[in-house]
Amino acid sequence: MNDYAIELNGVCKSYRFFELQDVALRLQRGTIMGLIGPNGAGKSTTIRILMGLVCPDRGEVRVLGHRIPDEQVAAKWDIGFASDDMRLYDSRTLGWHINFMKSIYSSWDDTYAQLLLKRFGLHAEQKIKGLSHGQRVKATLLLVFARRPKLLVLDEPTTGLDPVARHDILRELTAVMVEDGRSVLFSSQNTQDVEQISDQITFIDRGRIIDSMDKEVYLDRWRRLRLEAPSGVELPALPGVIEIQQTGRLAVAIANAFEPHLANAYESSGARVQAVENMTLEEIFVANVERSREEVKA
Amino acid sequence: MSNPLEFPLGRKCLTGSLTVYTVYTQMFVISQSDKRPMYLQIMEQMKQRIAVGDWAPGQAIPSIRQLAVDIGVSVITVKRAYLELEREGMIVTRQGKGCFVASGSDIGARIREQELAQHLEQAVRSAAMMGLSQKNLEKRIRAIYDRVTDKEKETV
């Protein structure tokens, strides 16, 4: 048994208009990883590859120790997967789906399913066709959560949900962590969700992984420095600073490898450091994508 | 507290043999409008609990994983808050036994002292940024002190 719930090495996949390049990814058992990136970055393709739904052109994929796609059947007993394009049977009730899952998975936890029904405000007697989008999402997640799988793989689980429903889902995801050794990989457009519940953050853009690391370390590396440069003082270009915007005497520097000595370096150039601010994942996201777009242009 | 084995934080709710949820999660507020990182917000709220005596010296506090689940925040963030508080000597971790508020009856006072030191440092920094002299700053503080204590006298 290795320490990784998910392991991708050198994974490539080419489509006519999109290419996934040399993706390497490691999800440690017992942790939650948030996968973020702009639309079309390759989040869903990555998830489909590790679920064995898409076969990569090259590279190695292991999930819960099983080689994918060859051993995907064995792996999937312990994986709970949910994505937007999953369909429930419209003419059947939620209770019918629950019984269906119960008949397949021995790990099914009926007590937990009943609790989730209540918590998500769903009713077993409801037919799927009568459910709203948000209710369908919650129903799908209930069917996955109550199996108590070792690994949860969720493609945008909170998209299209109202704030209360989102809150409920996030809560259930963190609750999964009470049990040892369970792992979660989820993608999201909502940086706040990712910032709140992930242990690891993986940032993907244009088919490549830009960053993949411990969330606290990641957030800590980024800082916004508010500077005042008296006339005649030129702000030096410093390593670790990816962007400086100056209007008049005031400037804002964005650092993606912040060290306290950066502030000292600005001070000794004659500028004044007014503030060193933490950045939210949302702000980091935008700065990161803009930088990677600049690199493409250059 | 009728059951001394329960955390002061809230009641555990069980499904099967598993702890899934606890009740008083609203006690910790992680705010998006707060510009500080989440681990600092958690630290501060834990300190407040200790400072006001809700978490008494030597008392058991939730494990990292439990608190993470309670407030719906990643384990790694809560772990960081615990590590920093441990470094500051506010809490202690005993192998295999769990986490506790540091013993010593002065811990509340220490937290308030730390808070005051931070405020004062912030005030001095702001003053320095404006080019205010030490004398001037002292004068301002004295005036505020008089005003605030006068007000307190009035209300008494």
Side-chain angles (χ1 to χ4, degrees), chain B residues 70-96:
Chain B
D70 287 350
I71 57 182
V73 162
S74 59
V75 170
I76 204 161
T77 300
V78 176
K79 192 187 252 172
R80 182 160 183 201
Y82 274 50
L83 281 176
E84 301 272 343
L85 284 175
E86 204 167 357
R87 197 171 301 152
E88 291 182 7
M90 304 299 178
I91 63 171
V92 288
T93 304
R94 286 195 219 115
Q95 273 308 320

PDB file of all heavy atoms in Angstrom, chain B residues 70-96:
ATOM      1  N   ASP B  70     -15.534  20.479  12.798  1.00  0.00           N
ATOM      2  CA  ASP B  70     -16.519  21.343  13.457  1.00  0.00           C
ATOM      3  C   ASP B  70     -16.717  22.655  12.712  1.00  0.00           C
ATOM      4  O   ASP B  70     -17.831  23.133  12.561  1.00  0.00           O
ATOM      5  CB  ASP B  70     -16.072  21.683  14.884  1.00  0.00           C
ATOM      6  CG  ASP B  70     -16.221  20.493  15.816  1.00  0.00           C
ATOM      7  OD1 ASP B  70     -16.834  19.502  15.397  1.00  0.00           O
ATOM      8  OD2 ASP B  70     -15.726  20.571  16.951  1.00  0.00           O
ATOM      9  N   ILE B  71     -15.622  23.269  12.289  1.00  0.00           N
ATOM     10  CA  ILE B  71     -15.779  24.576  11.661  1.00  0.00           C
ATOM     11  C   ILE B  71     -15.730  24.483  10.141  1.00  0.00           C
ATOM     12  O   ILE B  71     -15.851  25.484   9.464  1.00  0.00           O
ATOM     13  CB  ILE B  71     -14.768  25.618  12.200  1.00  0.00           C
ATOM     14  CG1 ILE B  71     -13.324  25.154  12.028  1.00  0.00           C
ATOM     15  CG2 ILE B  71     -15.040  25.949  13.638  1.00  0.00           C
ATOM     16  CD1 ILE B  71     -12.316  26.150  12.598  1.00  0.00           C
ATOM     17  N   GLY B  72     -15.569  23.284   9.609  1.00  0.00           N
ATOM     18  CA  GLY B  72     -15.626  23.110   8.157  1.00  0.00           C
ATOM     19  C   GLY B  72     -14.448  23.723   7.428  1.00  0.00           C
ATOM     20  O   GLY B  72     -14.595  24.320   6.371  1.00  0.00           O
ATOM     21  N   VAL B  73     -13.269  23.562   8.012  1.00  0.00           N
ATOM     22  CA  VAL B  73     -12.059  24.130   7.428  1.00  0.00           C
ATOM     23  C   VAL B  73     -11.037  23.000   7.308  1.00  0.00           C
ATOM     24  O   VAL B  73     -11.094  22.030   8.054  1.00  0.00           O
ATOM     25  CB  VAL B  73     -11.537  25.267   8.347  1.00  0.00           C
ATOM     26  CG1 VAL B  73     -10.101  25.609   8.061  1.00  0.00           C
ATOM     27  CG2 VAL B  73     -12.407  26.499   8.214  1.00  0.00           C
ATOM     28  N   SER B  74     -10.110  23.124   6.348  1.00  0.00           N
ATOM     29  CA  SER B  74      -9.173  22.033   6.115  1.00  0.00           C
ATOM     30  C   SER B  74      -8.313  21.750   7.340  1.00  0.00           C
ATOM     31  O   SER B  74      -7.983  22.649   8.112  1.00  0.00           O
ATOM     32  CB  SER B  74      -8.284  22.321   4.916  1.00  0.00           C
ATOM     33  OG  SER B  74      -7.568  23.509   5.133  1.00  0.00           O
ATOM     34  N   VAL B  75      -7.932  20.496   7.479  1.00  0.00           N
ATOM     35  CA  VAL B  75      -7.116  20.051   8.603  1.00  0.00           C
ATOM     36  C   VAL B  75      -5.806  20.839   8.653  1.00  0.00           C
ATOM     37  O   VAL B  75      -5.354  21.254   9.714  1.00  0.00           O
ATOM     38  CB  VAL B  75      -6.826  18.533   8.476  1.00  0.00           C
ATOM     39  CG1 VAL B  75      -5.790  18.097   9.499  1.00  0.00           C
ATOM     40  CG2 VAL B  75      -8.107  17.733   8.641  1.00  0.00           C
ATOM     41  N   ILE B  76      -5.232  21.077   7.492  1.00  0.00           N
ATOM     42  CA  ILE B  76      -3.919  21.700   7.445  1.00  0.00           C
ATOM     43  C   ILE B  76      -3.943  23.130   8.011  1.00  0.00           C
ATOM     44  O   ILE B  76      -2.988  23.588   8.637  1.00  0.00           O
ATOM     45  CB  ILE B  76      -3.373  21.658   6.001  1.00  0.00           C
ATOM     46  CG1 ILE B  76      -1.863  21.747   6.026  1.00  0.00           C
ATOM     47  CG2 ILE B  76      -3.969  22.743   5.135  1.00  0.00           C
ATOM     48  CD1 ILE B  76      -1.214  21.286   4.775  1.00  0.00           C
ATOM     49  N   THR B  77      -5.063  23.807   7.816  1.00  0.00           N
ATOM     50  CA  THR B  77      -5.211  25.173   8.320  1.00  0.00           C
ATOM     51  C   THR B  77      -5.320  25.174   9.846  1.00  0.00           C
ATOM     52  O   THR B  77      -4.679  25.982  10.525  1.00  0.00           O
ATOM     53  CB  THR B  77      -6.458  25.836   7.692  1.00  0.00           C
ATOM     54  OG1 THR B  77      -6.273  25.853   6.276  1.00  0.00           O
ATOM     55  CG2 THR B  77      -6.651  27.242   8.184  1.00  0.00           C
ATOM     56  N   VAL B  78      -6.124  24.247  10.374  1.00  0.00           N
ATOM     57  CA  VAL B  78      -6.279  24.158  11.823  1.00  0.00           C
ATOM     58  C   VAL B  78      -4.954  23.711  12.454  1.00  0.00           C
ATOM     59  O   VAL B  78      -4.548  24.208  13.503  1.00  0.00           O
ATOM     60  CB  VAL B  78      -7.417  23.186  12.191  1.00  0.00           C
ATOM     61  CG1 VAL B  78      -7.521  23.022  13.696  1.00  0.00           C
ATOM     62  CG2 VAL B  78      -8.737  23.695  11.631  1.00  0.00           C
ATOM     63  N   LYS B  79      -4.273  22.797  11.757  1.00  0.00           N
ATOM     64  CA  LYS B  79      -2.989  22.321  12.254  1.00  0.00           C
ATOM     65  C   LYS B  79      -2.022  23.491  12.407  1.00  0.00           C
ATOM     66  O   LYS B  79      -1.308  23.604  13.398  1.00  0.00           O
ATOM     67  CB  LYS B  79      -2.415  21.296  11.274  1.00  0.00           C
ATOM     68  CG  LYS B  79      -1.236  20.529  11.822  1.00  0.00           C
ATOM     69  CD  LYS B  79      -0.622  19.654  10.735  1.00  0.00           C
ATOM     70  CE  LYS B  79      -0.925  18.190  10.970  1.00  0.00           C
ATOM     71  NZ  LYS B  79      -0.499  17.347   9.839  1.00  0.00           N
ATOM     72  N   ARG B  80      -2.023  24.375  11.433  1.00  0.00           N
ATOM     73  CA  ARG B  80      -1.123  25.526  11.494  1.00  0.00           C
ATOM     74  C   ARG B  80      -1.458  26.412  12.692  1.00  0.00           C
ATOM     75  O   ARG B  80      -0.576  26.872  13.411  1.00  0.00           O
ATOM     76  CB  ARG B  80      -1.224  26.334  10.191  1.00  0.00           C
ATOM     77  CG  ARG B  80      -0.279  27.485  10.203  1.00  0.00           C
ATOM     78  CD  ARG B  80       0.003  27.997   8.829  1.00  0.00           C
ATOM     79  NE  ARG B  80       0.970  29.077   8.873  1.00  0.00           N
ATOM     80  CZ  ARG B  80       1.112  29.964   7.922  1.00  0.00           C
ATOM     81  NH1 ARG B  80       0.375  29.875   6.839  1.00  0.00           N
ATOM     82  NH2 ARG B  80       2.000  30.916   8.038  1.00  0.00           N
ATOM     83  N   ALA B  81      -2.755  26.641  12.915  1.00  0.00           N
ATOM     84  CA  ALA B  81      -3.180  27.449  14.062  1.00  0.00           C
ATOM     85  C   ALA B  81      -2.698  26.815  15.365  1.00  0.00           C
ATOM     86  O   ALA B  81      -2.163  27.497  16.247  1.00  0.00           O
ATOM     87  CB  ALA B  81      -4.702  27.602  14.059  1.00  0.00           C
ATOM     88  N   TYR B  82      -2.858  25.496  15.469  1.00  0.00           N
ATOM     89  CA  TYR B  82      -2.428  24.788  16.687  1.00  0.00           C
ATOM     90  C   TYR B  82      -0.917  24.887  16.879  1.00  0.00           C
ATOM     91  O   TYR B  82      -0.430  25.097  17.984  1.00  0.00           O
ATOM     92  CB  TYR B  82      -2.853  23.309  16.640  1.00  0.00           C
ATOM     93  CG  TYR B  82      -4.264  23.059  17.136  1.00  0.00           C
ATOM     94  CD1 TYR B  82      -5.331  23.797  16.661  1.00  0.00           C
ATOM     95  CD2 TYR B  82      -4.547  22.071  18.081  1.00  0.00           C
ATOM     96  CE1 TYR B  82      -6.628  23.566  17.094  1.00  0.00           C
ATOM     97  CE2 TYR B  82      -5.834  21.833  18.527  1.00  0.00           C
ATOM     98  CZ  TYR B  82      -6.869  22.574  18.028  1.00  0.00           C
ATOM     99  OH  TYR B  82      -8.147  22.344  18.476  1.00  0.00           O
ATOM    100  N   LEU B  83      -0.167  24.709  15.768  1.00  0.00           N
ATOM    101  CA  LEU B  83       1.291  24.766  15.863  1.00  0.00           C
ATOM    102  C   LEU B  83       1.754  26.130  16.355  1.00  0.00           C
ATOM    103  O   LEU B  83       2.617  26.241  17.219  1.00  0.00           O
ATOM    104  CB  LEU B  83       1.928  24.462  14.502  1.00  0.00           C
ATOM    105  CG  LEU B  83       1.998  22.985  14.122  1.00  0.00           C
ATOM    106  CD1 LEU B  83       2.555  22.824  12.717  1.00  0.00           C
ATOM    107  CD2 LEU B  83       2.846  22.209  15.126  1.00  0.00           C
ATOM    108  N   GLU B  84       1.131  27.181  15.798  1.00  0.00           N
ATOM    109  CA  GLU B  84       1.526  28.536  16.199  1.00  0.00           C
ATOM    110  C   GLU B  84       1.173  28.795  17.667  1.00  0.00           C
ATOM    111  O   GLU B  84       1.950  29.387  18.400  1.00  0.00           O
ATOM    112  CB  GLU B  84       0.836  29.586  15.313  1.00  0.00           C
ATOM    113  CG  GLU B  84       1.131  29.449  13.828  1.00  0.00           C
ATOM    114  CD  GLU B  84       2.381  30.201  13.387  1.00  0.00           C
ATOM    115  OE1 GLU B  84       2.841  31.069  14.140  1.00  0.00           O
ATOM    116  OE2 GLU B  84       2.892  29.896  12.291  1.00  0.00           O
ATOM    117  N   LEU B  85      -0.005  28.328  18.074  1.00  0.00           N
ATOM    118  CA  LEU B  85      -0.417  28.535  19.467  1.00  0.00           C
ATOM    119  C   LEU B  85       0.473  27.745  20.420  1.00  0.00           C
ATOM    120  O   LEU B  85       0.756  28.187  21.538  1.00  0.00           O
ATOM    121  CB  LEU B  85      -1.880  28.111  19.666  1.00  0.00           C
ATOM    122  CG  LEU B  85      -2.924  29.079  19.133  1.00  0.00           C
ATOM    123  CD1 LEU B  85      -4.316  28.491  19.288  1.00  0.00           C
ATOM    124  CD2 LEU B  85      -2.854  30.423  19.854  1.00  0.00           C
ATOM    125  N   GLU B  86       0.921  26.596  19.951  1.00  0.00           N
ATOM    126  CA  GLU B  86       1.820  25.790  20.765  1.00  0.00           C
ATOM    127  C   GLU B  86       3.158  26.520  20.909  1.00  0.00           C
ATOM    128  O   GLU B  86       3.738  26.580  21.995  1.00  0.00           O
ATOM    129  CB  GLU B  86       2.009  24.427  20.118  1.00  0.00           C
ATOM    130  CG  GLU B  86       2.419  23.381  21.111  1.00  0.00           C
ATOM    131  CD  GLU B  86       2.300  21.972  20.554  1.00  0.00           C
ATOM    132  OE1 GLU B  86       1.842  21.798  19.406  1.00  0.00           O
ATOM    133  OE2 GLU B  86       2.689  21.057  21.278  1.00  0.00           O
ATOM    134  N   ARG B  87       3.613  27.086  19.804  1.00  0.00           N
ATOM    135  CA  ARG B  87       4.876  27.830  19.821  1.00  0.00           C
ATOM    136  C   ARG B  87       4.777  29.026  20.766  1.00  0.00           C
ATOM    137  O   ARG B  87       5.722  29.367  21.457  1.00  0.00           O
ATOM    138  CB  ARG B  87       5.183  28.297  18.390  1.00  0.00           C
ATOM    139  CG  ARG B  87       6.615  28.698  18.185  1.00  0.00           C
ATOM    140  CD  ARG B  87       6.906  28.924  16.713  1.00  0.00           C
ATOM    141  NE  ARG B  87       6.658  27.730  15.913  1.00  0.00           N
ATOM    142  CZ  ARG B  87       6.307  27.750  14.630  1.00  0.00           C
ATOM    143  NH1 ARG B  87       6.133  28.901  14.007  1.00  0.00           N
ATOM    144  NH2 ARG B  87       6.109  26.633  13.972  1.00  0.00           N
ATOM    145  N   GLU B  88       3.612  29.649  20.806  1.00  0.00           N
ATOM    146  CA  GLU B  88       3.422  30.793  21.705  1.00  0.00           C
ATOM    147  C   GLU B  88       3.187  30.356  23.152  1.00  0.00           C
ATOM    148  O   GLU B  88       3.047  31.189  24.037  1.00  0.00           O
ATOM    149  CB  GLU B  88       2.222  31.631  21.243  1.00  0.00           C
ATOM    150  CG  GLU B  88       2.473  32.370  19.938  1.00  0.00           C
ATOM    151  CD  GLU B  88       1.275  33.228  19.543  1.00  0.00           C
ATOM    152  OE1 GLU B  88       0.319  33.349  20.333  1.00  0.00           O
ATOM    153  OE2 GLU B  88       1.309  33.779  18.432  1.00  0.00           O
ATOM    154  N   GLY B  89       3.098  29.045  23.361  1.00  0.00           N
ATOM    155  CA  GLY B  89       2.920  28.537  24.721  1.00  0.00           C
ATOM    156  C   GLY B  89       1.494  28.638  25.236  1.00  0.00           C
ATOM    157  O   GLY B  89       1.257  28.558  26.436  1.00  0.00           O
ATOM    158  N   MET B  90       0.525  28.806  24.348  1.00  0.00           N
ATOM    159  CA  MET B  90      -0.869  28.926  24.786  1.00  0.00           C
ATOM    160  C   MET B  90      -1.530  27.561  24.944  1.00  0.00           C
ATOM    161  O   MET B  90      -2.428  27.398  25.757  1.00  0.00           O
ATOM    162  CB  MET B  90      -1.684  29.744  23.777  1.00  0.00           C
ATOM    163  CG  MET B  90      -1.123  31.118  23.484  1.00  0.00           C
ATOM    164  SD  MET B  90      -1.070  32.134  24.963  1.00  0.00           S
ATOM    165  CE  MET B  90      -0.333  33.630  24.304  1.00  0.00           C
ATOM    166  N   ILE B  91      -1.118  26.603  24.103  1.00  0.00           N
ATOM    167  CA  ILE B  91      -1.673  25.251  24.228  1.00  0.00           C
ATOM    168  C   ILE B  91      -0.519  24.246  24.254  1.00  0.00           C
ATOM    169  O   ILE B  91       0.604  24.585  23.868  1.00  0.00           O
ATOM    170  CB  ILE B  91      -2.654  24.904  23.072  1.00  0.00           C
ATOM    171  CG1 ILE B  91      -1.934  24.917  21.720  1.00  0.00           C
ATOM    172  CG2 ILE B  91      -3.833  25.851  23.059  1.00  0.00           C
ATOM    173  CD1 ILE B  91      -2.791  24.362  20.588  1.00  0.00           C
ATOM    174  N   VAL B  92      -0.817  23.046  24.698  1.00  0.00           N
ATOM    175  CA  VAL B  92       0.191  21.975  24.661  1.00  0.00           C
ATOM    176  C   VAL B  92      -0.438  20.715  24.066  1.00  0.00           C
ATOM    177  O   VAL B  92      -1.637  20.483  24.200  1.00  0.00           O
ATOM    178  CB  VAL B  92       0.740  21.632  26.072  1.00  0.00           C
ATOM    179  CG1 VAL B  92       1.645  22.723  26.581  1.00  0.00           C
ATOM    180  CG2 VAL B  92      -0.395  21.374  27.047  1.00  0.00           C
ATOM    181  N   THR B  93       0.398  19.955  23.364  1.00  0.00           N
ATOM    182  CA  THR B  93      -0.057  18.677  22.831  1.00  0.00           C
ATOM    183  C   THR B  93       0.672  17.585  23.584  1.00  0.00           C
ATOM    184  O   THR B  93       1.896  17.615  23.689  1.00  0.00           O
ATOM    185  CB  THR B  93       0.267  18.576  21.333  1.00  0.00           C
ATOM    186  OG1 THR B  93      -0.323  19.689  20.677  1.00  0.00           O
ATOM    187  CG2 THR B  93      -0.275  17.291  20.738  1.00  0.00           C
ATOM    188  N   ARG B  94      -0.087  16.643  24.146  1.00  0.00           N
ATOM    189  CA  ARG B  94       0.550  15.508  24.811  1.00  0.00           C
ATOM    190  C   ARG B  94       0.323  14.286  23.956  1.00  0.00           C
ATOM    191  O   ARG B  94      -0.829  13.966  23.630  1.00  0.00           O
ATOM    192  CB  ARG B  94      -0.016  15.322  26.215  1.00  0.00           C
ATOM    193  CG  ARG B  94       0.516  16.405  27.131  1.00  0.00           C
ATOM    194  CD  ARG B  94       0.283  16.062  28.606  1.00  0.00           C
ATOM    195  NE  ARG B  94      -0.075  17.287  29.293  1.00  0.00           N
ATOM    196  CZ  ARG B  94      -1.262  17.521  29.857  1.00  0.00           C
ATOM    197  NH1 ARG B  94      -2.187  16.601  29.844  1.00  0.00           N
ATOM    198  NH2 ARG B  94      -1.498  18.675  30.443  1.00  0.00           N
ATOM    199  N   GLN B  95       1.437  13.635  23.600  1.00  0.00           N
ATOM    200  CA  GLN B  95       1.371  12.470  22.725  1.00  0.00           C
ATOM    201  C   GLN B  95       0.326  11.472  23.204  1.00  0.00           C
ATOM    202  O   GLN B  95       0.353  11.041  24.347  1.00  0.00           O
ATOM    203  CB  GLN B  95       2.748  11.786  22.660  1.00  0.00           C
ATOM    204  CG  GLN B  95       3.679  12.362  21.592  1.00  0.00           C
ATOM    205  CD  GLN B  95       3.043  12.429  20.208  1.00  0.00           C
ATOM    206  OE1 GLN B  95       2.325  11.517  19.813  1.00  0.00           O
ATOM    207  NE2 GLN B  95       3.290  13.504  19.468  1.00  0.00           N
ATOM    208  N   GLY B  96      -0.585  11.131  22.331  1.00  0.00           N
ATOM    209  CA  GLY B  96      -1.574  10.105  22.650  1.00  0.00           C
ATOM    210  C   GLY B  96      -2.678  10.552  23.593  1.00  0.00           C
ATOM    211  O   GLY B  96      -3.604   9.801  23.849  1.00  0.00           O
TER     212      GLY B  96
END
